[in-house]
Amino acid sequence: MKPALIIIDVQKQFTPMMSTADQDRALEMMNWSMWVFREAKLPVIRVYHTDPEWGLTEGSPGFAFHDSLKVMDDDPMVVKTYGSAFTKTNLDELLKEKGINTLFLCGLSSVGCVLATYMDAASHDYKAFMIKDALLSHNEKYTNNVEEMFNAMDLETVMYMLDIRAE
């Protein structure tokens, strides 16, 4: 297994549209997920959505990731215009260059872009997992359903798989 963490669309323009009931927990779990992958010296890849019709372009205020996320400037960045992070982007090429074959997904929306990327991963020969409690949508019940239907992994299990121990 050669994994990477993919953080999808946690942008300032979209986070206010997400359920506030689970937003703090999800953002915290995304940060913990990044910590786990960095501890294992594994890639953390940022995926951004752009849509000029909505005024969402690189450099616009809403394009940036949520302020609480501890992304790093050297985390590879993919910019997309479709739901799946694979559609008409360089994600597949980037993953293949790094020898990645397993994806751990978090971000938003659990019923939109994260789900589309998850479903598309197999057609690009990747095994994909969603990280439980590190997903958001406009409705927390929908997120819970996605996590259950697609057997999202809790972070403790991910840590075990990556042989990371919390100190």
Side-chain angles (χ1 to χ4, degrees), residues 127-147:
K127 181 66 179 164
F129 302 95
M130 290 184 222
I131 299 179
K132 185 174 176 38
D133 298 328
L135 301 169
L136 279 168
S137 77
H138 64 288
N139 183 318
E140 68 178 305
K141 290 179 185 175
Y142 294 172
T143 298
N144 293 338
N145 289 339
V146 166
E147 288 178 345

Side-chain angles (χ1 to χ4, degrees), residues 15-150:
T15 50
M17 299 176 204
M18 300 298 115
S19 167
T20 55
D22 54 356
Q23 199 168 119
D24 289 343
R25 181 192 69 226
L27 292 167
E28 182 178 344
M29 290 304 293
M30 288 178 219
N31 278 325
W32 276 111
S33 299
M34 285 186 278
W35 177 86
V36 166
F37 276 75
R38 289 188 177 114
E39 281 293 304
K41 306 209 180 331
L42 295 168
V44 173
I45 299 172
R46 304 170 289 156
V47 175
Y48 293 79
H49 191 83
T50 186
D51 189 332
E53 288 182 28
W54 290 5
L56 187 60
T57 57
E58 282 190 65
S60 67
F63 186 82
F65 265 22
H66 192 277
D67 289 335
S68 70
L69 283 184
K70 297 175 182 164
V71 294
M72 302 174 100
D73 290 339
D74 61 346
D75 292 335
M77 177 179 167
V78 173
V79 179
K80 66 182 186 61
T81 56
Y82 294 92
S84 171
F86 287 103
T87 304
K88 297 184 180 183
T89 71
N90 66 332
L91 179 60
D92 188 45
E93 179 183 335
L94 176 66
L95 295 170
K96 286 187 177 13
E97 284 174 4
K98 295 181 173 299
I100 302 301
N101 62 13
T102 306
L103 310 178
F104 289 87
L105 307 175
C106 63
L108 54 106
S109 161
S110 61
V111 296
C113 296
V114 173
L115 186 56
T117 302
Y118 174 88
M119 299 299 280
D120 210 8
S123 66
H124 291 274
D125 297 322
Y126 298 99
K127 181 66 179 164
F129 302 95
M130 290 184 222
I131 299 179
K132 185 174 176 38
D133 298 328
L135 301 169
L136 279 168
S137 77
H138 64 288
N139 183 318
E140 68 178 305
K141 290 179 185 175
Y142 294 172
T143 298
N144 293 338
N145 289 339
V146 166
E147 288 178 345
E148 185 176 327
M149 287 170 40
F150 296 96

